[in-house]
Amino acid sequence: MKRRDGVRNGHTCRPTSVPFLLETLPRPNITALPGSIVPPGDPVMILCQGPAEAEAYVISKVSSPEPSDEEKQLLPKKSNTLSIAEMTPPWAGLYHCSYHSGERRSQFSDFLQLVMTGAYEKPSLSSMTGTVVASGENVKLRCFSTLKFDAFILMKKEGGHPIHKRSSNSQDGGHQAVFLLNQVSSTQAGTYRCYGVFSRYPYVWSHPSDRLQLQVREAPDDPHPTKPRPSPGE
């Protein structure tokens, strides 16, 4: 006869080991220093930042362009940094991290895209609507290359993150993508560059194009403002 008090056939039933409890701690932040877009051969450090209660960190590289359960755990230790002495294509990819505290494990951080540039010759970047435009106008920027890139990525220097990605199409003996900036304002003025990328290696980019400086003029005030009518008795 089986007993239900934890004893069976004279042996005490021991509970199985308790797995890490997920999503009971706040998610950490993951960043790359000095930045996540790295020329070949340059050093870069991935930093996972959790609270003071964190006892051990794990920084993981996702094995495919899209997030999946299959990961390569790189750092199961107390240190919350992963230092890369020289950037090479195998290091480029998608990363996230978590930390442990006792039997609790945090949620995963957001994903970090670590990109290596300089793998292919640079494309060219030009404005089809001029580099000095009035506020409120639409601007078309063209990224072009004789290489058959699958896509082009446009970046604004001040932001440090891709702002547009467009599939390429054949044009003028090469491949191009046209980026439309709708109703620009002064916040979109600045320095732009573009990169070429192949879909098979989404985190390995070309050299950046030459810089394109976009200037946005504010609309002038009305030179003939309507004068207010005098009130009666004036």
Side-chain angles (χ1 to χ4, degrees):
M1 181 176 177
K2 296 181 180 179
R3 299 179 59 182
R4 297 183 180 181
D5 58 359
V7 178
R8 181 181 300 172
N9 296 330
H11 298 283
T12 302
C13 296
R14 298 180 180 274
T16 57
S17 58
V18 178
F20 281 114
L21 301 177
L22 299 179
E23 301 184 3
T24 58
L25 298 170
R27 68 175 64 220
N29 295 319
I30 188 168
T31 53
L33 301 173
S36 60
I37 299 176
V38 189
D42 279 15
V44 63
M45 182 177 70
I46 297 176
L47 172 65
C48 185
Q49 294 176 297
E53 61 188 295
E55 298 174 356
Y57 287 87
V58 176
I59 294 178
S60 303
K61 182 184 179 187
V62 179
S63 60
S64 65
E66 296 299 326
S68 69
D69 293 332
E70 185 181 358
E71 300 163 353
K72 179 182 178 183
Q73 292 189 343
L74 297 174
L75 198 71
K77 58 182 182 180
K78 276 185 173 292
S79 173
N80 64 340
T81 61
L82 171 64
S83 295
I84 300 171
E86 294 183 1
M87 188 63 183
T88 58
W91 286 111
L94 202 61
Y95 292 79
H96 63 182
C97 70
S98 63
Y99 62 90
H100 302 157
S101 179
E103 294 181 343
R104 297 182 300 165
R105 190 180 79 184
S106 74
Q107 301 179 58
F108 284 111
S109 67
D110 292 334
F111 288 99
L112 169 73
Q113 297 185 55
L114 188 64
V115 171
M116 192 196 85
T117 63
Y120 323 107
E121 67 181 48
K122 66 182 180 183
S124 62
L125 181 64
S126 59
S127 174
M128 303 171 69
T129 47
T131 56
V132 181
V133 298
S135 178
E137 290 185 3
N138 295 334
V139 175
K140 291 182 178 180
L141 302 181
R142 178 189 188 229
C143 193
F144 175 84
S145 176
T146 55
L147 296 179
K148 295 181 179 180
F149 289 119
D150 296 309
F152 292 96
I153 294 168
L154 180 68
M155 293 189 61
K156 188 168 182 281
K157 182 180 178 182
E158 289 81 355
H161 298 284
I163 59 173
H164 289 291
K165 183 176 181 179
R166 292 282 186 273
S167 298
S168 68
N169 56 76
S170 299
Q171 186 73 27
D172 300 332
H175 277 63
Q176 72 165 21
V178 176
F179 300 90
L180 177 62
L181 307 180
N182 284 313
Q183 298 181 334
V184 295
S185 65
S186 58
T187 59
Q188 289 165 291
T191 303
Y192 290 82
R193 283 181 155 181
C194 72
Y195 299 80
V197 60
F198 294 103
S199 58
R200 187 176 178 183
Y201 306 105
Y203 305 109
V204 179
W205 298 358
S206 70
H207 284 282
S209 68
D210 291 337
R211 297 180 178 88
L212 183 145
Q213 187 71 31
L214 181 66
Q215 300 179 47
V216 179
R217 301 191 310 265
E218 292 298 325
D221 295 332
D222 187 351
H224 302 290
T226 302
K227 295 183 179 180
R229 294 182 180 181
S231 59
E234 290 186 359

